[in-house]
Amino acid sequence: MAIDALKLNLGTLATISAGFPLRTAADALPAGDVSFVQMRDVVDGASVDWAGVPRVELLGKRPVSWLGDGDILFAARGSNNYALALRNAPERAVCSPHFFVLRVSDKARIDPYFLAWQINQKPAQDYFRQSATGSHIPNIRRSVLEGLEVAVPSVSKQRMIADLWNAALEEKRQLNALLTNRQKQLDSVAAGILTGRMR
């Protein structure tokens, strides 16, 4: 399927900022009313497990830019540089500094869910692998992210692609749930045979 698209650098389409800086480990923060998203709270690089996100108190008086639906979390550290456009974000939520937060400048021009999809595709991922720094833990600098070339087709085509991607993610979630349930059944059978409880 051929799609005509303008090509622009990501830095012209979205503002990019680091996650909330910490002076201590996130687990050491006192309990509070702020959802603090860490990499471990992301399921399959596709969604945030909001129910499991720890709620903490942010220390200090630093101004806070709260996360919202459509904001994109980009995992800048490690070998899996996925992008995730948020859905159902709570009213008060921030993310760890292991993420960059991308906020689309003009949603009438580019759909954030389409943008996240494109960042996750092979051309962008190849670019990140070639541009990563750090010998022990690969890291993507903000300037590298800003320089990513992004294709911008019509908004209607963007939303069509984003809807297809979301449907594929939902199918994957359902399949994984079926596989997990089947494995539990097999584990139960195995336990029954080994203990002699299965006849």
Side-chain angles (χ1 to χ4, degrees):
M1 178 172 59
I3 296 179
D4 294 330
L6 182 67
K7 292 187 178 178
L8 298 169
N9 288 342
L10 180 57
T12 67
L13 298 170
T15 59
I16 301 173
S17 58
F20 192 84
L22 294 178
R23 293 184 178 180
T24 183
D27 293 339
L29 292 172
D33 64 350
V34 175
S35 297
F36 191 87
V37 181
Q38 301 170 75
M39 287 189 169
R40 67 189 182 197
D41 301 313
V42 176
V43 181
D44 296 329
S47 63
V48 174
D49 175 22
W50 290 113
V53 172
R55 294 173 66 82
V56 304
E57 177 187 344
L58 298 181
L59 304 177
K61 297 182 180 180
R62 177 183 291 271
V64 179
S65 178
W66 304 113
L67 297 174
D69 286 357
D71 285 350
I72 299 170
L73 302 187
F74 175 79
R77 297 190 66 188
S79 57
N80 184 15
N81 303 121
Y82 60 83
L84 162 65
L86 296 178
R87 298 180 188 275
N88 305 314
E91 187 175 340
R92 291 165 60 85
V94 297
C95 64
S96 80
H98 294 96
F99 292 106
F100 280 123
V101 179
L102 285 63
R103 188 162 287 161
V104 169
S105 306
D106 183 1
K107 290 183 180 179
R109 184 182 195 187
I110 188 158
D111 183 280
Y113 301 98
F114 165 80
L115 182 56
W117 168 81
Q118 191 168 165
I119 292 170
N120 288 323
Q121 301 312 302
K122 189 176 185 302
Q125 293 296 309
D126 288 346
Y127 167 76
F128 295 139
R129 276 190 288 273
Q130 294 165 5
S131 307
T133 59
S135 55
H136 181 57
I137 299 177
N139 184 61
I140 303 299
R141 298 188 312 274
R142 184 191 315 223
S143 59
V144 168
L145 191 54
E146 289 173 338
L148 173 68
E149 188 175 71
V150 174
V152 185
S154 68
V155 173
S156 62
K157 287 176 180 169
Q158 292 177 41
R159 289 177 179 159
M160 177 192 70
I161 292 169
D163 288 346
L164 286 171
W165 182 42
N166 190 53
L169 291 175
E170 181 58 32
E171 289 169 359
K172 182 179 179 181
R173 279 191 287 268
Q174 292 178 6
L175 179 58
N176 285 340
L178 287 170
L179 291 172
T180 298
N181 185 56
R182 182 67 70 207
Q183 188 60 53
K184 287 179 180 178
Q185 290 176 337
L186 291 171
D187 290 345
S188 179
V189 169
I193 290 174
L194 291 173
T195 60
R197 294 176 183 170
M198 183 176 181
R199 300 183 184 280

